[in-house]
Amino acid sequence: MFQKFFLLACILAVMAIVYTNSLPTEEGENDETFCKPFSSCTNSTDCSSNLIYKTCRANLFGNKQCCL
């Protein structure tokens, strides 16, 4: 039982490290777009029901998606 909790704690720790390393370090680095996969929108009201991806904008490929 302890091994399962230890494994879960390790996975969560790795996810936290990857997330913090992906955050922009300077104000000028906001060029990266993090969008919800398989989403599409025409304006921000289409994305208002999402908890994280609330802004409708072009992703890295130019498609309009719900993004951060």
Side-chain angles (χ1 to χ4, degrees):
M1 190 75 156
F2 174 74
Q3 294 170 343
K4 290 181 184 179
F5 289 119
F6 181 73
L7 180 62
L8 179 63
C10 289
I11 290 172
L12 290 175
V14 169
M15 288 173 57
I17 291 169
V18 169
Y19 174 74
T20 55
N21 286 341
S22 68
L23 294 175
T25 55
E26 297 178 11
E27 291 181 20
E29 288 189 20
N30 290 335
D31 298 331
E32 292 186 56
T33 304
F34 296 98
C35 299
K36 182 178 181 180
F38 309 111
S39 66
S40 63
C41 60
T42 56
N43 56 37
S44 291
T45 56
D46 294 341
C47 304
S48 61
S49 62
N50 289 313
L51 294 175
I52 300 172
Y53 307 98
K54 295 216 174 258
T55 306
C56 180
R57 66 180 195 183
N59 65 7
L60 296 174
F61 303 105
N63 302 325
K64 286 214 153 212
Q65 286 186 301
C66 296
C67 303
L68 296 178

